[in-house]
Amino acid sequence: MIKLYYVEDDYVIASAVQKYLKNKGYHVIIFETIEQTKKVLQTELPSLVLIDWNLTDGSGYNLCKWIRETWNELPIIFLTVKGDSKDIVQGFQGGADDYLIKPFDLEVLYARICAILRRAGNIAENYVTCGEISIDKIKLKVFISDEEIALSQTEYQLLKLLIENKGCILTRTGLLEVIWDANGNYVNDNTLTVTMKRLREKLHNPPYLKTIRSFGYRMEDV
């Protein structure tokens, strides 16, 4: 089921959209604040984000810009009462892919979502995240928030494997076999230790990269 995030502090509107889109086969998760939304986006991406402009803890416009700085291809639709032409232009300039003015027709919203997802595909599949770390698997790039981090091929493979299995302990033996031995590079245990040390330093020693003594490593959302 395709997952959507809807940032809206009006429960009546949010629940109506959620119920309608659920009947169309979408899983819609509602967030009332920008803070909640940012926290969840750093752990799991949806296929598309719906955003109201006026929120209790700030501007949906600023949230849109924040998303776009980190996930350039994540589709965003504004659902807002702000209908002046300057507001619409500002919304698109801030990174929105579409803009609907309240009150809007649910069938029109559904059609817009379908059109955007046809063009964009399921962007969530292109990214893996943990905390502030995000990997773009298509472009093979790593980011901490909006800062791109330059990694070697081995460091990238190690980080990607850890994030794709976050919450699980990956043993040292298993990591050596998957990353090095699978490529015919037979190395000793110290190679993993050195690579992990360099990776931690480049990632600014993130708290969500854990060493499990005598076993291996685990990535987990803090």
Side-chain angles (χ1 to χ4, degrees):
M1 183 177 289
I2 295 176
K3 182 184 297 182
L4 310 180
Y5 290 169
Y6 185 15
V7 192
E8 171 63 74
D9 53 13
D10 186 318
Y11 176 77
V12 174
I13 295 175
S15 59
V17 170
Q18 183 185 50
K19 181 178 180 180
Y20 178 84
L21 292 178
K22 180 180 179 181
N23 291 333
K24 295 294 186 180
Y26 293 101
H27 177 46
V28 180
I29 301 176
I30 299 169
F31 301 99
E32 295 184 356
T33 67
I34 294 172
E35 182 181 0
Q36 290 174 344
T37 309
K38 286 184 174 181
K39 184 175 181 180
V40 174
L41 281 170
Q42 290 174 340
T43 62
E44 186 173 4
L45 292 179
S47 297
L48 182 145
V49 184
L50 306 170
I51 301 177
D52 185 20
W53 193 297
N54 298 312
L55 297 164
T56 55
D57 62 339
S59 169
Y61 172 76
N62 291 332
L63 174 61
C64 177
K65 288 181 64 180
W66 179 85
I67 293 172
R68 191 56 70 229
E69 288 171 356
T70 306
W71 301 286
N72 187 54
E73 298 171 344
L74 181 59
I76 299 170
I77 299 177
F78 269 117
L79 305 178
T80 174
V81 296
K82 295 174 71 69
D84 291 344
S85 59
K86 63 179 179 61
D87 295 322
I88 297 172
V89 170
Q90 185 181 9
F92 281 111
Q93 290 176 338
D97 297 281
D98 209 339
Y99 195 106
L100 285 178
I101 301 168
K102 297 176 182 177
F104 51 84
D105 190 300
L106 289 171
E107 290 186 8
V108 172
L109 172 61
Y110 173 65
R112 299 285 184 91
I113 291 172
C114 290
I116 289 175
L117 292 181
R118 276 199 305 271
R119 296 194 300 269
N122 191 351
I123 298 300
E125 295 177 351
N126 298 340
Y127 293 89
V128 288
T129 62
C130 185
E132 296 180 337
I133 299 174
S134 174
I135 297 180
D136 184 332
K137 296 192 291 184
I138 301 300
K139 298 179 180 178
L140 305 181
K141 292 184 177 182
V142 176
F143 298 88
I144 296 180
S145 296
D146 57 351
E147 175 192 1
E148 185 175 351
I149 307 297
L151 300 181
S152 69
Q153 181 179 353
T154 304
E155 291 162 355
Y156 174 86
Q157 290 176 331
L158 177 57
L159 178 62
K160 179 172 174 286
L161 193 60
L162 286 164
I163 293 183
E164 286 179 335
N165 294 276
K166 67 181 177 181
C168 300
I169 298 174
L170 300 186
T171 66
R172 294 180 62 87
T173 301
L175 289 170
L176 285 167
E177 290 177 351
V178 171
I179 297 176
W180 283 276
D181 288 357
N183 297 320
N185 301 316
Y186 300 100
V187 297
N188 61 39
D189 187 72
N190 187 58
T191 300
L192 174 58
T193 301
V194 173
T195 303
M196 180 62 74
K197 181 177 183 295
R198 289 200 305 262
L199 178 61
R200 287 184 191 274
E201 290 172 350
K202 290 183 178 181
L203 297 175
H204 313 316
N205 295 303
Y208 21 84
L209 177 48
K210 308 289 186 181
T211 297
I212 311 303
R213 192 173 300 277
S214 301
F215 286 95
Y217 304 95
R218 180 180 68 229
M219 292 287 286
E220 58 184 31
D221 294 309
V222 176

